Amino acid sequence: MTNDDTPLIAVDGIEKRFGTVEALSGVNLELGDNEVLGLVGDNGAGKSTLIKTLVGIHQPDAGEIRYDGDPVTIENPKAARELGIGTVYQDLALVDELSVASNLFLGRNPIKKIGGLIPVLDEEYMNEEAERILRERLNIHVDPETPVEYLSGGERQAIAIARALVTDPDIVLLDEPTSALSKAAVNEVEELVFTLKENGHSVIIIDHNLEEIFSWTDRIAILFNGRVVDVVDTEEVTRDDIVSMMISGQSVLGDDTDADEQTAGSESATSSSTA
Amino acid sequence: MSTLTNLSSSVEDLRDTDRTRMLLFLMDNLIWPILFVSFLFFSALLPEIFTDYRNIRFLLYTSAGLGAITLAEGICLISGHFDLSVGSIAGFSAMSGSLFLTQWAPGTPGVVGIAVVLGVGAFIGFLNGFFISKFGVNPFLQTLSTLIIFEGGILVLSSTSIFNLPGTFTYLGGATVDLPLFKPMPVAVFFMFALFVAVFAWLTKTRFGRAIYAVGGDKEAAGEAGINVDKVVISVYVVSGLLAATGGLLLTGFTGGATPTLGTAQLFPAFTAAVIGGISLFGGRGNVLNALGGVLLLGTISAGLVMLNVGPQIVQTVNGVILFSAILLYTFVGRYRERLLSDL
Ligand SMILES: Nc1ncnc2c1ncn2[C@@H]1O[C@H](COP(=O)(O)OP(=O)(O)OP(=O)(O)O)[C@@H](O)[C@H]1O
Ligand SMILES: [Mg+2]
């Protein structure tokens, strides 16, 4: 049923309001198989809201999410994880009081059975795995038993990234994964994004650093006031194009059929956007 | 030369981190040295009498009911919530079970009465958790209403004490066993220790316990990480209700019957014991075994004061002062702890 063109995940006319704020007003977006998609936009454009809607933290007020071509309802982050989506949240979603290992396995801590009967946490396995994953995938060396509150901002971000990878997801969503990282650590994330791509994963990455966006992504989606201005091939645009679209909310590319489709597809966006 | 200085400085570092870790460990378990010092203090003031086997036994025995209710409060606090209703749940469920056995269905075996007690406690706890998680009711207000409703409910059920309960019903709280090492010792004492160990194991060794700490530490993060927060909150209140009801059962056995005021005076001591045991009011932190230390400290001090012939009315004032000192102490410890951590 699925041919090669079926996007891995697609959102269609997604709307989300918070009280009077319309965070998403008819977003259409597709993430292809083995694609790295950048998501850019000004503060408050709706990037994080879109990510949170994709993983079931928010339920959309309208619109549809399709996974591998099939409409899906993603009830909660656990369901998203089981579907093969790993997420690094902008706020990292770490519990300060818990250890590195506990955080890495939060919500799915491995258990072992004492005497084949009583299920207890397998701390030893968690610690070993946490240490290994952090070392091998991010080149970070921390004691897995240390509570996360003792760690630096960069180490915390690394833990959040590692957690998104523990389940070996098909799709990795990264909401500003490098904002607290040093140059060296950013290089680790860069390598990670390339490795993910090489190994056939798909990635959506939100980043205010356009340099990173340009060197890491295949396509870039520009979000403005809760709608997609345009989705462009990274190689076909300049930095200025992107900035201009982020600020004006207008596509700058000549034949922006993509954007026309977008606006036509969403009723709520038409009034405000096609000036 | 330089390698030598390096070596010696790294040895120093090691010693420093070890010292820091030890200090941290001490600060996390401060209740035990405090308990020890208080015990020595009263033993010195009351030589022979305070350390007498019967006194210690009585001290432990009076702690049992409070211990269970402290656990009920403790797990709510660890989950980042609040429960004002633990005392009235204890009283109401104990009264329900007692009336069931004596008036509603006389002749039913005592174990059925125990089931009624636990069922009522769990149900009230469920209501608390349900409204807090599904309707977003503030835990303070929710459990305050529960407190008022069921404290009144006890009097609606019966304004007099219920005695002549079956032996099986009062066994846990009232019976004594003769063990070779512990001459006669109330069953309730062993039960209390077992209960603390069991709840401790549940909280620290199981996936669900870890989820409770996670929700208490950061509800939003826990949800984003895939924990079903509502389920955790409801379960915490159900277990809290069960534990409070267990406290009611123990108190009934201790008193020999269900009195209308049974349990209702336990809220503040339970809260105090949990807090001086180091359970954080902000959730995500704390060790229920240390709350046992808190229970024993309150027991030690009130037993000591009573034996010194200080009027029982003073005890509450003293408890208040202890709570206040504990809060001050932990505030300072919290600050000092952050400084230590930044050195690690
Ligand atoms: N839970 C919420 N409740 C109410 N309003 C919200 C909520 N989450 C987001 N919003 C609002 O929705 C809009 C979009 O927010 P969002 O966090 O998606 O922006 P963003 O593009 O991620 O911005 P940033 O670059 O600053 O992270 C904002 O106006 C924000 O205030
Ligand atoms: Mg954001």
Side-chain angles (χ1 to χ4, degrees):
Chain A
M1 187 200 80
T2 46
N3 60 43
D4 282 348
D5 295 340
T6 313
L8 194 48
I9 197 159
V11 298
D12 201 351
I14 292 284
E15 292 174 21
K16 182 68 197 173
R17 307 185 68 93
F18 298 106
T20 55
V21 179
E22 193 162 272
L24 300 176
S25 31
V27 169
N28 303 331
L29 196 63
E30 295 179 345
L31 175 69
D33 210 2
N34 198 19
E35 174 181 46
V36 179
L37 178 72
L39 192 55
V40 298
D42 209 347
N43 293 121
K47 306 180 295 293
S48 299
T49 306
L50 180 58
I51 296 292
K52 288 184 179 177
T53 308
L54 276 177
V55 298
I57 291 172
H58 302 315
Q59 292 305 320
D61 298 328
E64 188 178 75
I65 301 175
R66 284 189 304 274
Y67 194 88
D68 241 345
D70 301 321
V72 286
T73 308
I74 299 170
E75 300 275 354
N76 50 43
K78 194 173 173 208
R81 192 169 61 208
E82 279 155 10
L83 213 52
I85 303 176
T87 316
V88 178
Y89 298 97
Q90 186 168 8
D91 67 5
L92 303 185
L94 300 175
V95 179
D96 280 351
E97 291 85 350
L98 296 183
S99 72
V100 168
S102 271
N103 267 287
L104 220 58
F105 290 95
L106 199 58
R108 38 176 294 281
N109 309 65
I111 52 172
K112 62 178 179 199
K113 299 243 163 115
I114 293 186
L117 264 175
I118 311 161
V120 296
L121 291 175
D122 194 344
E123 306 270 6
E124 202 179 319
Y125 173 82
M126 277 200 285
N127 288 336
E128 279 168 15
E129 274 295 292
E131 199 272 334
R132 188 185 63 78
I133 291 166
L134 285 166
R135 178 169 40 79
E136 285 179 4
R137 304 206 69 163
L138 292 157
N139 200 15
I140 295 266
H141 300 265
V142 293
D143 175 1
E145 290 183 71
T146 317
V148 160
E149 63 191 333
Y150 307 170
L151 302 181
S152 73
E155 286 169 331
R156 296 163 57 88
Q157 211 153 35
I159 310 260
I161 295 172
R163 181 174 65 196
L165 304 175
V166 187
T167 48
D168 198 25
D170 298 327
I171 300 175
V172 182
L173 308 177
L174 304 165
D175 193 347
E176 303 195 25
T178 60
S179 58
L181 297 184
S182 68
K183 190 79 190 72
V186 169
N187 290 343
E188 296 289 342
V189 175
E190 172 166 45
E191 205 167 298
L192 183 88
V193 172
F194 291 152
T195 317
L196 285 173
K197 163 114 181 149
E198 240 166 60
N199 295 344
H201 300 264
S202 302
V203 178
I204 295 181
I205 181 162
I206 296 174
D207 201 329
H208 285 290
N209 183 332
L210 290 184
E211 231 169 88
E212 287 166 14
I213 289 284
F214 269 92
S215 61
W216 299 353
T217 64
D218 302 317
R219 290 193 305 154
I220 304 172
I222 303 99
L223 216 61
F224 180 83
N225 268 347
R227 63 186 177 82
V228 176
V229 178
D230 206 346
V231 185
V232 292
D233 284 338
T234 306
E235 286 173 355
E236 289 170 12
V237 286
T238 65
R239 204 190 147 98
D240 288 345
D241 293 338
I242 297 289
V243 172
S244 147
M245 286 191 270
M246 280 167 62
I247 295 171
S248 69
Q250 309 279 325
S251 180
V252 295
L253 297 194
D255 56 334
D256 55 341
T257 43
D258 240 12
D260 277 347
E261 266 170 43
Q262 304 275 355
T263 23
S266 98
E267 297 125 57
S268 50
T270 36
S271 55
S272 61
S273 64
T274 45
Chain B
M1 180 66 211
S2 80
T3 41
L4 235 155
T5 40
N6 273 349
L7 193 71
S8 75
S9 80
S10 69
V11 166
E12 207 117 282
D13 276 356
L14 197 71
R15 232 183 265 136
D16 265 7
T17 18
D18 276 356
R19 220 190 51 151
T20 312
R21 278 183 202 286
M22 261 181 61
L23 266 175
L24 282 170
F25 179 78
L26 181 71
M27 278 163 37
D28 285 339
N29 300 283
L30 216 48
I31 184 67
W32 298 106
I34 295 175
L35 176 62
F36 184 66
V37 169
S38 318
F39 192 81
L40 288 184
F41 175 78
F42 285 110
S43 308
L45 286 183
L46 297 155
E48 314 257 308
I49 313 172
F50 199 72
T51 48
D52 183 69
Y53 177 73
R54 272 166 307 173
N55 177 52
I56 293 172
R57 185 179 62 198
F58 188 72
L59 194 161
L60 291 173
Y61 190 19
T62 52
S63 300
L66 177 61
I69 297 173
T70 300
L71 277 174
E73 186 65 58
I75 62 165
C76 277
L77 291 176
I78 287 174
S79 78
H81 291 76
F82 212 83
D83 197 343
L84 295 174
S85 61
V86 285
S88 65
I89 292 179
F92 186 82
S93 54
M95 185 57 87
S96 306
S98 304
L99 284 173
F100 184 85
L101 293 176
T102 52
Q103 294 176 20
W104 302 341
T108 336
V111 274
V112 180
I114 294 177
V116 171
V117 173
L118 297 179
V120 169
F123 181 68
I124 301 175
F126 172 79
L127 291 181
N128 277 338
F130 182 76
F131 284 106
I132 288 168
S133 64
K134 297 291 182 192
F135 288 85
V137 181
N138 176 294
F140 188 91
L141 298 177
Q142 169 66 37
T143 58
L144 179 66
S145 340
T146 314
L147 156 74
I148 297 170
I149 293 170
F150 290 99
E151 207 173 300
I154 299 173
L155 294 174
V156 173
L157 289 182
S158 168
S159 53
T160 56
S161 302
I162 310 294
F163 290 101
N164 297 322
L165 295 159
T168 41
F169 188 72
T170 54
Y171 178 83
L172 207 56
T176 352
V177 282
D178 268 313
L179 289 184
L181 207 53
F182 308 97
K183 288 154 264 183
M185 188 58 109
V187 178
V189 173
F190 296 109
F191 182 75
M192 171 182 71
F193 284 118
L195 199 60
F196 269 94
V197 171
V199 174
F200 175 76
W202 182 59
L203 284 173
T204 55
K205 306 287 176 223
T206 70
R207 188 184 275 182
F208 205 81
R210 192 60 46 94
I212 293 174
Y213 275 93
V215 169
D218 190 334
K219 210 179 214 179
E220 197 184 334
E224 287 176 346
I227 289 173
N228 186 339
V229 175
D230 286 355
K231 189 175 134 193
V232 171
V233 172
I234 293 176
S235 312
V236 162
Y237 276 101
V238 169
V239 175
S240 172
L242 272 174
L243 288 165
T246 306
L249 190 66
L250 291 170
L251 291 171
T252 308
F254 182 80
T255 320
T259 66
T261 54
L262 177 141
T264 52
Q266 304 284 318
L267 167 64
F268 289 123
F271 194 84
T272 308
V275 171
I276 61 183
I279 293 181
S280 163
L281 294 181
F282 306 106
R285 243 186 259 278
N287 174 334
V288 289
L289 289 183
N290 290 351
L292 173 62
V295 171
L296 296 178
L297 180 67
L298 290 187
T300 303
I301 290 172
S302 68
L305 293 179
V306 168
M307 293 171 83
L308 286 169
N309 279 325
V310 180
Q313 45 317 348
I314 307 281
V315 172
Q316 182 174 348
T317 312
V318 172
N319 280 353
V321 173
I322 297 170
L323 176 61
F324 181 67
S325 321
I327 290 170
L328 266 189
L329 179 71
Y330 284 116
T331 309
F332 284 120
V333 163
R335 269 191 222 146
Y336 185 57
R337 166 179 238 280
E338 267 163 37
R339 277 233 313 276
L340 280 182
L341 290 177
S342 56
D343 297 349
L344 260 186

